[in-house]
Amino acid sequence: MLVYGTEVVIPVEVEISSMRIIQEAELDDAKWVKSRYEQLALIDGKKMNAVCHDQLYQNRMSRAFNKKVKPRRFTPGQLMLKKIFPHQDEAKGKFSPNWQGSYIVHRVLTRGALILVEMDGEV
């Protein structure tokens, strides 16, 4: 206001009408309510589009990840080794082994979970 002698209006106020903009445009209440309702309906539509886009993106990412996963079927009594991941305590350094022990599958649970038994019988 000090520079040009008029009050400043930011672009957000023009798009989302504030009380000052409504008074300057001299809209009556019915027109204002109708335009506000249309703006809110557009916002809901944009939210739904964003949610749908997010779900499609997550589905694409999970499909791309699951392509590389090889499903394996285990049966009780089968022999196996357990992989040591880098974040586990057993991983001590560069030359430490990548696999641990010799295990027997004791039980197969849902979704591929296993209960293992060591060779001496300890679960």
Side-chain angles (χ1 to χ4, degrees):
M1 186 163 175
L2 293 175
V3 178
Y4 297 108
T6 58
E7 215 172 314
V8 177
V9 178
I10 59 175
V12 174
E13 282 186 288
V14 174
E15 193 166 318
I16 302 171
S17 302
S18 65
M19 287 303 291
R20 183 174 64 172
I21 300 296
I22 293 168
Q23 289 173 350
E24 287 178 8
E26 298 175 357
L27 292 174
D28 61 343
D29 289 340
K31 286 183 181 178
W32 180 81
V33 168
K34 183 179 177 187
S35 68
R36 191 73 179 151
Y37 180 75
E38 289 171 355
Q39 288 174 353
L40 291 174
L42 285 175
I43 290 173
D44 288 341
K46 288 180 182 180
K47 283 182 185 176
M48 286 303 296
N49 284 341
V51 167
C52 291
H53 182 5
D54 185 45
Q55 288 175 346
L56 289 172
Y57 176 74
Q58 286 180 352
N59 288 339
R60 275 197 317 263
M61 292 303 291
S62 65
R63 256 188 278 123
F65 177 78
N66 289 336
K67 265 192 230 177
K68 298 176 185 174
V69 175
K70 297 177 185 174
R72 299 184 191 259
R73 305 250 181 232
F74 295 101
T75 57
Q78 190 175 4
L79 292 173
M80 65 182 306
L81 298 172
K82 187 171 86 170
K83 181 167 177 54
I84 300 173
F85 292 102
H87 65 278
Q88 291 177 321
D89 294 333
E90 293 88 10
K92 297 291 182 195
K94 181 175 179 179
F95 298 109
S96 63
N98 295 333
W99 303 95
Q100 179 181 15
S102 212
Y103 294 97
I104 300 172
V105 177
H106 180 65
R107 268 181 60 200
V108 179
L109 302 175
T110 59
R111 295 187 169 251
L114 303 173
I115 295 178
L116 301 177
V117 176
E118 293 181 5
M119 293 305 278
D120 62 357
E122 185 180 336
V123 178

